[in-house]
């Protein structure tokens, strides 16, 4: 019968169309009857993690990627699913880490499984398990039964399982997650209880991330793409006659008996269609089949865009019929420039499928980016670079037949067209660096520069035992243990003595080779590097910390002695009061803060009363955290703690994980009190300096321990890690003499801590008895008195990025002796104090280099002429070699054992006159709050005019608690006694001259308003 459509009302036609559309929609998007996306941020209720073997590994729910570990020192790609966010993760590589061979020796593996709550599949005639996953596995002595297994069970005892590795090669990175579909109807359909299991088994490393788990009823007719078999996303070897292999699967409940058409596109161009002849060879339910595209030319480009599509008449689920994937070669080399154009603050370049950018942010700060496929990404987001907006850039862009030039008042970047090469010049035309070959990219991205015999390099973060890297290679990755050669806090940044610095904006591991090969690589298929041009290394540090943020500004008390132990092992937290705090008082020892629960799983009890009692005794209280900072609001806001120590158990994975942890702890303190954040951590990265002290890890005490820490701390400062240190006399072992020698020099660094509980003897400064107790007290007291000098250096670091502990090259950049390792066992604290630690079991110190100028021995006043080496310098145990540069002002506090013990009503000035006029800027604020950020601080300019006149200018500024009057006491180092001393035009009788220390004049200037100038004249 024929129907006359013209007589059917339009409303009925519309209704029919709606029904058809709804049916079609139902076919293409089957609704899940079970879904878990882990958006709750924790292991779902009813899920379980049975113990495997001799240990109890934990799957976790996190919104962070796998953080990296041994042999894979980089973060995993940032997503586990297209939905992003929280997901299920297993960190096998973090469990085994550098102990992988020890695991194998014991025939053990970091296995772990997790089982879902039971799912009701009653009434379901068919069931499809869908989920998304990202994983990376290591084929290093796997067990015979190894796999990444997904299992299905109806009793949680007997399992049907699938190894999800399939054809995925070991070490493959997945930039995009896999969409998985398993037809589990045979085991799950109609069952009232169905369990899902994820089981990492018999593989030492690295990770598995799972998300967006769904159970849906299977369509009757459903063909889908499983994955590309022939190529991974990275690390391929492309050929002129290559083969693409695609795996497809019948996900439906019925056998497919019709032909399937498979179309493919390569970089937008159609390839020959392939037909799967299911009409001849039917495709059963759950059956898989390979589709091959042969003779494909992939050798012409380093990156390709692939797209595949399946067509099957009557297919009920279209969502799994297509696949778009980007594949790249293991190593491609940038070719010639094919096109370029100007942008707002630079240029964009095109070389084949590859795109690059050169962008200026300031006249001396620019960035080069490379994207192999033309799509620029920033996996580091704003974690490393926090100030990425162009500021008053004045860039002039010109070109000729061979090059493009980007010029500012501070530098010029030259871009060679063929092949595409970059080079950098300063404002005077000096070539700072030049590429000797084009950028290469693939599984890692490499820049190779021209080698200069007279060029020196610094940076790389905390590289234990090193600060000057010329003709050597450093690894930008955590690992290597805690001793010499370890990398507890690496940073992807370096500086050159030629006057530039470079920051790779990445969390991926790298290798910096400063030898004749001059090669800089990171394990990522992109290039993103900031460059900083300056007329000095100080200027480069200033620009580097302009982009990455300034070093944190510590409170005054944070510069004092810290003490850590666990007092819950054999007692309770309050025991710290009588066992330690009262002993500090008994021994008249300077102090600053205590960590009463420093130990794995130590915890705490009666914290609120303990904090109050410790504060009465001059201590602030901090907490060691093993599992995170979730309780910080209560610990800080209610109990009054003011410090977080984030140990390996929590931030050990490093990289972004550790940086986020430091930020959370630092901001958690500041959000819950009016004080300043104070965090101690390891496994830092670029940006950690904004939040945390970085320390070198857990070591054994020895003279070697002292030796390698000196260049370590120097080198950390050259990456803006202003507060860097190691535990006093380490945490294991120890001796009376190594304790004294280690404490001596660390009193001339910003922060210091002693940690007990790991050695046979505790680590407090009185433990070894006399004469060691008195020597330790003397140096801790001196550190307390030098607080104004140190605090001013903290302000300078917070303002400019220049560290307090300075390699001699920072203050004497023209002296070639300071460039390399000749001066690696001495440093300057600020610009005035030269410290040469004793790191051998002897009572002398050799090879002390004094740079240009006059240098005064701090202990006996002897004056040395610079540009000379001192050998056989007498240094009995109580004496740290310490020299003051002539032309220095050293401000000092009254003697006290903790910050705030007495008013700062007297300012002592230790003055070492030089030839010409000298200016010193003293910085002050309330010492505890964050009000300084709002302008609540004061500066006092102190001027030396030769040996006869000292001018203390009126204080400028204001802050809460600032004294309106104070006394001034001057210690002026003079070889000749003056006849008279005048203060503000009035003859002064309160002065004394002694020949001790080659002559010291002590002047009591009296009490003066701080807003009034004080002039001391010697006649």
């Amino acid at each position: 019968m024929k129907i006359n459509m013209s007589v059917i009302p339009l409303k009925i036609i519309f209704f029919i169309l709606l029904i058809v559309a709804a049916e079609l929609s139902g076919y293409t998007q089957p609704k899940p009857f079970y879904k878990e996306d882990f958006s709750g941020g924790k292991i779902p209720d009813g899920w379980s993690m049975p113990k495997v073997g001799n240990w109890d590994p934990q799957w976790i729910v996190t919104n962070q990627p796998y953080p990296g570990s041994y042999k894979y020192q980089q973060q995993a790609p940032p997503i586990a699913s297209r939905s992003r966010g929280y997901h299920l993760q297993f960190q096998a590589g973090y469990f085994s880490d550098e102990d992988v061979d020890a695991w194998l020796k014991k025939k053990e593996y970091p296995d772990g499984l997790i089982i879902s709550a039971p799912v009701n599949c009653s009434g379901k005639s068919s069931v499809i398990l869908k989920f998304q996953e990202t994983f990376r596995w290591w084929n290093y002595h796997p067990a015979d039964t190894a796999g990444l297994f997904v299992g299905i069970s109806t009793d949680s005892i007997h399992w049907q399982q699938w190894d999800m590795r399939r054809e995925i090669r070991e070490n493959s990175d997945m930039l995009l997650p896999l969409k998985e579909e398993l037809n589990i109807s045979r085991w799950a359909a109609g069952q009232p209880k169905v369990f899902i299991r994820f089981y990492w088994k018999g593989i030492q490393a690295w990770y598995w991330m799972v998300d967006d788990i769904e159970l849906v009823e299977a369509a009757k007719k459903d063909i889908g793409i499983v994955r590309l078999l022939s190529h991974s996303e990275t690390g391929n070897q492309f050929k002129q006659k290559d083969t693409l292999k695609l795996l497809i699967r019948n996900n439906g409940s019925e056998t497919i008996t019709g032909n399937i058409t498979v179309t493919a596109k390569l970089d937008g161009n159609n390839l020959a269609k392939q037909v799967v002849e299911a009409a001849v060879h039917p495709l059963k339910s759950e059956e898989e089949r390979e589709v091959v595209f042969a003779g494909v030319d992939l050798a012409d480009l380093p990156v390709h865009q692939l797209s595949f599509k399946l067509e099957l008449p009557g297919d009920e689920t279209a969502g799994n019929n297509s696949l778009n994937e980007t594949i790249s070669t293991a190593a491609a080399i940038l070719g010639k420039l094919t096109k370029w154009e100007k942008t707002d603050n630079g240029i964009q370049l095109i070389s084949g499928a590859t795109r690059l950018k050169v962008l200026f942010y300031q006249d001396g700060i620019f960035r080069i980016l490379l994207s192999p496929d033309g799509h620029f990404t920033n996996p580091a987001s704003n974690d490393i670079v926090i100030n990425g907006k162009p500021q008053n850039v004045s860039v002039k862009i010109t070109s000729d037949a061979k090059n493009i030039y980007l010029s500012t008042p501070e530098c010029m970047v030259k871009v060679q067209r063929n092949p595409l090469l970059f080079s950098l010049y300063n404002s005077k035309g000096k070539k700072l660096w030049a590429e000797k070959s084009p950028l290469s990219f693939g599984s890692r991205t490499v820049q190779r520069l021209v080698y200069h015999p007279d060029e020196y390099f610094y940076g790389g973060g905390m590289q234990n035992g090193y600060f000057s890297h010329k003709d050597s290679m450093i690894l930008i990755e955590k690992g290597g243990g805690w001793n010499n050669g370890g990398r507890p806090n690496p940073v992807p940044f370096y500086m050159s003595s030629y006057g530039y610095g470079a920051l790779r904006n990445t969390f991926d591991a790298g290798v910096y080779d400063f030898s004749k090969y001059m090669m800089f690589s990171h394990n990522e298929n992109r290039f993103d590097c900031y460059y900083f041009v300056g007329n000095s290394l100080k200027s480069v540090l200033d620009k580097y910390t302009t982009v990455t943020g300034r070093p944190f500004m510590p409170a005054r008390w944070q510069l004092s002695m810290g003490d850590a132990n666990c007092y819950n092992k054999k007692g309770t937290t309050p025991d710290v009061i009588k066992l330690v705090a009262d002993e500090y008082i008994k021994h008249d020892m300077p102090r600053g803060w205590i960590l009463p629960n420093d130990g794995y799983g130590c915890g705490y009890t009666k914290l609120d009363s303990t904090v109050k009692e410790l504060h009465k005794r001059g201590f602030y209280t901090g907490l060691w955290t093993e599992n995170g900072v979730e309780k910080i609001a209560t610990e800080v806001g209610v109990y009054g703690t003011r410090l977080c120590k984030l140990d390996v158990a929590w931030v050990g994975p490093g990289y972004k994980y550790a940086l986020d942890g430091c930020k959370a702890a630092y901001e958690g303190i500041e959000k819950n009190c009016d004080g300043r954040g104070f965090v101690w951590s390891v496994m830092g990265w670029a940006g950690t300096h904004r939040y945390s002290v970085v320390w070198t890890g857990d070591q054994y005490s020895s003279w070697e321990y002292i030796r390698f820490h000196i260049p370590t701390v120097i080198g950390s400062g050259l990456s803006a890690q202003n507060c860097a240190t190691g535990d006093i006399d380490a945490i294991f072992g120890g001796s009376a003499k190594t304790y004294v020698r280690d404490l001596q020099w660390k009193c001339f660094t910003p922060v210091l801590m002693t940690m007990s509980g790991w050695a046979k003897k505790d680590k407090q400064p009185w433990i070894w008895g006399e004469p060691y107790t008195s020597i330790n007290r003397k140096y801790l007291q001196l550190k307390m008195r030098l607080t104004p000098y140190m605090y001013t250096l903290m302000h300078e670091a917070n303002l400019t990025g220049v560290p307090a502990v300075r390699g001699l090259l920072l203050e004497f950049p023209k002296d070639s002796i300071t460039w390399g390792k000749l001066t690696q066992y001495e440093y300057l604290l600020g610009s005035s104090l030269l410290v040469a630690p004793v790191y051998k079991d002897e009572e002398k110190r050799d090879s002390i280099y004094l740079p240009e100028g006059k240098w005064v021995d701090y202990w006996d006043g002897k004056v040395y002429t610079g540009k000379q080496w001192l050998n056989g310098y007498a240094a009995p145990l109580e004496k740290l070699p310490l020299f003051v540069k002539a032309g220095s002002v050293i401000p000092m506090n009254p003697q006290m054992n903790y910050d705030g013990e007495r008013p700062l009503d007297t300012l002592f000035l230790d003055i070492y006159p030089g030839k010409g006029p000298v200016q010193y800027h003293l910085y002050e604020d309330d010492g505890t709050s964050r009000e300084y950020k709002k302008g609540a601080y004061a500066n006092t300019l102190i001027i030396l005019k030769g040996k006869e006149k000292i001018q203390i200018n009126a204080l400028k500024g204001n802050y809460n608690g600032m004294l309106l009057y104070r006394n001034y006491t001057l210690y002026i180092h003079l070889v000749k006694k003056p006849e008279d001393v005048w203060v503000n035009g009035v003859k002064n009788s309160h002065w004394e001259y002694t020949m001790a220390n080659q002559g010291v004049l002590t002047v009591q200037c009296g009490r003066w308003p701080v807003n009034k100038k004080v002039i001391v004249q010697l006649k």
Side-chain angles (χ1 to χ4, degrees):
M1 179 177 101
K2 292 185 178 180
I3 298 176
N4 186 350
M5 296 294 293
S6 63
V7 301
I8 300 177
L10 288 176
K11 287 185 177 180
I12 295 177
I13 295 174
F14 182 63
F15 180 69
I16 293 171
L17 291 174
L18 281 177
I19 293 173
V20 173
E23 289 296 319
L24 291 175
S25 174
Y27 285 140
T28 54
Q29 296 295 334
K31 290 185 178 180
F33 61 87
Y34 170 81
K35 185 174 183 179
E36 180 56 67
D37 61 7
F38 306 101
S39 56
K42 63 178 184 178
I43 299 294
D45 292 340
W47 286 52
S48 62
M49 285 180 280
K51 185 175 180 180
V52 181
N54 297 320
W55 76 307
D56 188 21
Q58 297 294 307
W59 284 77
I60 61 172
V61 170
T62 178
N63 60 358
Q64 299 296 322
Y66 173 73
S69 63
Y70 179 61
K71 293 290 186 181
Y72 184 65
Q73 300 287 8
Q74 63 192 77
Q75 296 231 145
I79 56 175
S81 66
R82 310 292 170 112
S83 65
R84 300 177 181 261
Y86 284 101
H87 62 273
L88 190 64
Q89 186 177 125
F90 191 71
Q91 302 179 342
Y94 175 46
F95 301 135
S96 56
D97 206 53
E98 295 188 26
D99 297 324
V100 60
D101 289 319
W103 280 75
L104 289 170
K105 188 175 182 179
K106 293 184 292 184
K107 297 182 179 180
E108 294 181 354
Y109 293 87
D111 295 346
L113 58 84
I114 186 167
I115 301 173
S116 74
V119 181
N120 186 359
C121 296
S122 298
K124 310 300 179 184
S125 60
S126 60
V127 183
I128 299 290
L129 169 62
K130 294 185 176 184
F131 60 95
Q132 296 188 43
E133 64 174 343
T134 301
F135 59 81
R136 193 176 201 266
W137 69 285
W138 190 17
N139 193 30
Y140 185 66
H141 301 290
D144 294 337
T145 57
L148 275 61
F149 295 109
V150 172
I152 296 296
S153 175
T154 56
D155 58 7
S156 74
I157 299 173
H158 304 91
W159 295 89
Q160 172 65 34
Q161 60 186 19
W162 296 262
D163 186 353
M164 303 312 297
R165 292 177 299 165
R166 297 175 180 256
E167 294 80 8
I168 302 296
R169 299 193 302 266
E170 69 156 338
N171 301 338
S172 295
D173 270 332
M174 298 179 186
L175 304 181
L176 293 174
L178 298 173
K179 291 183 176 181
E180 303 288 9
E181 294 186 14
L182 297 175
N183 192 326
I184 61 172
S185 302
R186 227 185 306 173
W187 305 274
Q191 298 295 328
K193 288 186 177 181
V194 174
F195 299 88
I196 306 168
R197 183 178 74 176
F198 296 90
Y199 190 178
W200 179 287
K201 185 179 181 183
I203 301 173
Q204 291 291 352
W206 283 279
Y207 65 87
W208 194 2
M209 299 189 284
V210 178
D211 201 5
D212 292 348
I213 302 170
E214 294 180 353
L215 293 180
V216 301
E217 285 195 85
K220 292 181 180 180
K221 185 179 285 189
D222 177 15
I223 189 68
I225 297 175
V226 179
R227 65 185 61 164
L228 180 66
L229 296 177
S230 56
H231 296 78
S232 57
E233 291 172 279
T234 60
N236 299 290
Q237 299 293 330
F238 290 157
K239 306 171 186 176
Q240 277 190 325
K241 293 184 178 181
D242 220 323
T243 300
L244 300 176
K245 289 184 181 181
L246 187 71
L247 185 66
I248 66 173
R249 180 198 296 131
N250 180 1
N251 296 314
S253 59
E254 296 182 350
T255 298
I256 296 175
T257 57
N259 288 347
I260 305 162
T261 303
V262 187
T263 58
K265 287 186 177 182
L266 173 65
D267 301 323
N269 300 313
N270 291 322
L271 299 176
K273 290 184 179 180
Q274 300 295 320
V275 177
V276 178
E277 296 182 344
V280 179
H281 302 287
L283 194 64
K284 296 179 181 179
S285 177
E286 302 177 44
E287 185 179 348
E288 297 176 344
R289 209 165 279 182
E290 291 184 11
V291 181
V292 176
F293 295 81
V296 181
D297 185 3
L298 299 179
D300 59 334
L301 294 173
V303 180
H304 292 286
Q305 303 287 341
L306 298 176
S307 61
F308 300 92
K309 188 174 182 181
L310 306 182
E311 294 180 10
L312 172 67
D315 188 4
E316 299 173 17
T317 306
N320 56 9
N321 287 0
S322 61
L323 173 68
N324 297 302
E325 191 156 330
T326 300
I327 59 174
S328 62
T329 185
I333 298 175
L334 200 59
K336 67 179 181 179
L337 179 65
T338 54
K339 185 179 179 182
W340 72 281
E341 61 183 8
K342 295 181 181 180
T343 64
D344 290 341
N345 59 322
I347 59 175
Q348 180 166 272
L349 309 161
I350 299 176
S351 175
T354 305
R355 291 177 182 263
L356 303 95
K357 292 180 181 180
V358 182
L359 304 175
F360 272 84
Y361 295 87
Q362 292 184 19
D363 287 345
I365 302 175
F366 69 94
R367 181 184 185 187
I368 298 177
L369 299 100
L370 177 149
S371 170
D373 61 357
H375 299 284
F376 292 96
T377 60
N378 183 15
S381 186
N382 60 349
D383 292 321
I384 296 172
V385 173
I386 63 172
N387 184 14
K389 294 182 179 180
Q391 300 175 5
N392 303 318
V393 179
S394 176
V395 56
K396 179 182 178 182
I397 302 172
T398 58
S399 64
D400 57 31
K402 292 185 177 181
N403 305 297
I404 304 167
Y405 308 91
L406 296 90
S407 303
T408 73
E410 293 191 33
C411 65
M412 181 188 75
V413 178
K414 185 175 79 171
V415 184
Q416 181 179 298
R417 294 174 183 264
N418 189 14
L420 209 163
L421 293 169
F422 296 95
S423 54
L424 174 65
Y425 300 78
N426 66 13
S427 60
K428 297 178 180 179
K430 178 183 177 181
K431 185 184 291 185
L432 303 183
W433 61 257
E435 291 179 338
K436 60 183 177 184
S437 60
L439 288 168
S440 63
F441 48 95
S443 57
R444 62 178 185 148
T445 303
V446 183
Q447 185 181 45
R448 296 172 174 84
L449 302 181
V450 175
Y451 176 81
H452 301 291
D454 62 342
E455 187 176 14
Y456 287 76
F457 298 94
Y458 315 97
M462 183 175 275
Q463 301 276 332
N464 280 0
Y466 304 93
F467 88 91
S468 181
H469 307 306
K470 180 177 177 58
D471 294 326
S472 62
M473 177 191 295
I474 63 173
L475 302 182
I476 309 300
E477 62 177 47
K478 73 180 183 70
W482 302 118
N483 294 312
N484 188 70
R487 304 168 300 278
N489 296 280
V491 171
F493 165 77
Y494 72 87
M495 294 191 296
S496 161
S497 61
Y498 268 37
Y500 79 91
L503 165 71
R504 293 286 283 268
N505 182 34
T506 180
F507 283 110
D508 284 325
V511 178
Y512 294 175
D513 187 346
F514 298 105
S515 71
K516 62 182 180 180
Y517 299 105
M518 285 293 288
M519 183 179 71
F520 307 91
S521 68
H522 278 272
N523 299 340
E524 60 176 352
N525 193 19
R526 58 188 290 277
F527 183 82
D528 186 354
C529 189
Y530 285 80
Y531 295 94
F532 314 97
V533 181
N535 55 16
S536 67
L537 293 179
K538 286 185 177 181
S539 175
V540 173
L541 281 170
D542 179 41
K543 290 182 169 68
Y544 166 66
T545 54
T546 295
V547 166
T548 60
R550 305 297 194 188
F552 74 93
M553 178 68 188
R556 282 198 309 261
W557 65 266
Q558 295 168 5
L559 305 176
S560 307
M561 175 76 156
D563 189 292
N565 201 343
C566 174
Y567 297 94
N568 262 5
K569 288 180 180 177
K570 297 181 179 179
T572 62
T573 305
D575 292 342
V576 70
I577 299 168
K578 65 184 180 195
L579 293 177
V580 175
D582 288 345
E583 289 296 308
Y584 270 89
I585 296 171
K586 175 182 174 181
H587 290 92
D588 191 28
M589 281 291 176
R591 52 203 181 268
W593 52 272
I594 277 183
L595 239 65
N597 72 327
D598 192 58
Y600 287 81
C602 183
Y604 51 79
T605 55
K606 299 181 181 179
L607 184 62
D608 50 352
S609 59
T610 303
V611 170
K612 292 176 183 177
E613 289 301 317
L614 288 175
H615 198 63
K616 291 177 183 177
R617 292 160 172 79
F619 293 95
Y620 285 84
T621 304
L623 295 177
W624 181 94
T625 179
E626 182 179 356
N627 299 312
V629 293
E630 292 81 4
K631 300 178 182 178
I632 200 167
T634 301
E635 293 166 348
V636 174
V638 179
Y639 299 155
T641 65
R642 289 294 183 270
L643 158 68
C644 283
K645 180 167 172 277
L646 311 181
D647 213 335
V648 181
W650 191 46
V651 303
Y655 308 103
K656 185 182 188 305
Y657 194 96
L659 181 57
D660 286 347
C662 290
K663 180 180 180 181
Y666 185 87
E667 292 181 349
I669 294 172
E670 296 200 341
K671 287 177 182 177
N672 291 284
C673 72
D674 62 357
R676 302 177 196 173
F678 194 37
V679 177
W680 284 59
S681 68
V682 287
M683 300 308 175
W685 197 252
T688 301
H689 63 266
R690 300 191 296 263
Y691 310 113
S692 179
V693 174
V694 292
W695 99 100
T696 58
D698 301 337
Q699 300 102 349
Y700 281 86
S701 167
S702 66
W703 294 103
E704 164 65 7
Y705 171 80
I706 298 174
R707 181 204 66 77
F708 81 73
H709 267 81
I710 305 166
T712 300
V713 175
I714 296 170
S716 297
L718 293 172
S719 292
Q721 294 172 332
N722 178 51
C723 290
T725 189
D727 302 302
I728 296 172
D729 201 35
I731 69 170
F732 303 114
S735 70
K737 289 197 288 185
T738 54
Y739 191 104
V740 167
R741 288 303 195 190
D742 202 32
L743 180 140
Q744 282 177 344
W745 77 274
K746 285 176 179 171
C747 282
F748 291 86
T749 65
V751 294
L752 74 170
M753 175 180 72
T754 183
M755 189 186 301
S756 300
W758 302 92
K760 291 182 179 179
K761 292 178 74 73
D762 280 346
K763 295 286 184 173
Q764 282 79 28
W766 59 83
I767 289 296
W768 295 98
E770 295 295 348
Y772 314 107
T773 299
S774 294
I775 300 173
N776 294 333
R777 181 188 301 111
K778 165 187 169 182
Y779 281 93
L780 289 170
Q781 287 178 341
L782 181 55
K783 179 170 176 57
M784 292 298 297
R785 291 210 67 190
L786 288 171
T787 296
Y789 181 73
M790 186 71 80
Y791 199 63
T792 297
L793 293 176
M794 297 300 95
H795 170 66
E796 185 178 349
N798 182 250
L799 204 63
T800 67
V802 176
V805 173
R806 302 173 186 175
L808 271 58
L809 69 155
L810 277 180
E811 296 296 331
F812 299 92
K814 295 182 179 179
D815 188 341
S816 61
I817 291 176
T818 69
W819 298 347
K821 298 178 181 178
L822 291 174
T823 57
Q824 65 179 332
Y825 301 127
E826 60 184 280
Y827 63 89
L828 289 160
L829 181 62
S831 60
S832 297
L833 296 176
L834 189 149
V835 185
V838 176
Y839 56 91
K840 296 179 180 179
D841 187 9
E842 53 191 23
E843 296 196 345
K844 66 180 179 69
R845 169 63 204 263
D846 294 322
S847 302
I848 301 174
Y849 179 68
L850 300 177
E852 184 178 8
K854 298 288 186 180
W855 295 89
V856 182
D857 190 309
Y858 186 82
W859 305 111
D860 62 19
K862 183 178 179 179
V863 179
Y864 296 87
T865 301
K867 302 287 285 187
Q868 68 160 310
W869 291 90
L870 302 183
N871 287 300
Y873 177 88
L877 186 62
E878 70 275 7
K879 184 178 181 181
L880 168 74
L882 180 65
F883 304 87
V884 188
K885 185 176 68 175
S888 293
V889 176
I890 310 295
M892 302 175 74
N893 276 343
Q895 183 63 64
M896 61 184 80
N897 280 339
Y898 59 89
D899 186 68
E901 184 182 25
R902 57 167 295 178
L904 301 177
D905 52 3
T906 301
L907 178 64
F908 297 85
L909 298 177
D910 201 8
I911 296 170
Y912 297 79
K915 284 186 177 181
V918 173
Q919 293 188 353
Y920 177 79
H921 293 267
L922 172 67
Y923 172 84
E924 298 171 284
D925 59 33
D926 64 27
T928 57
S929 81
R930 303 189 298 277
E931 291 301 306
Y932 73 94
K933 295 182 179 181
K934 302 175 183 178
Y937 59 85
N939 283 298
T940 302
L941 174 61
I942 302 167
I943 303 174
L944 305 186
K945 297 184 177 180
K947 299 179 181 179
E948 293 78 28
K949 187 176 181 182
I950 298 97
Q951 179 175 309
I952 306 170
N953 283 358
L955 178 149
K956 292 184 178 181
N958 196 6
Y959 58 88
N960 185 41
M962 188 179 81
L963 298 176
L964 300 179
Y965 294 84
R966 68 178 163 199
N967 297 291
Y968 296 98
T969 298
L970 278 54
Y971 305 120
I972 308 170
H973 294 257
L974 298 170
V975 295
K976 184 178 179 181
K977 179 180 179 180
E979 295 180 5
D980 292 303
V981 177
W982 297 72
V983 178
N984 281 353
V986 177
K987 192 173 182 179
N988 181 286
S989 58
H990 302 287
W991 62 275
E992 179 185 8
Y993 182 82
T994 174
M995 287 304 298
N997 291 352
Q998 310 292 319
V1000 177
L1001 172 67
T1002 302
V1003 181
Q1004 305 285 349
C1005 299
R1007 187 168 180 263
W1008 295 91
V1010 295
N1011 62 359
K1012 182 178 177 62
K1013 185 186 299 183
V1014 176
I1015 298 176
V1016 178
Q1017 189 80 41
L1018 309 182
K1019 296 183 179 179

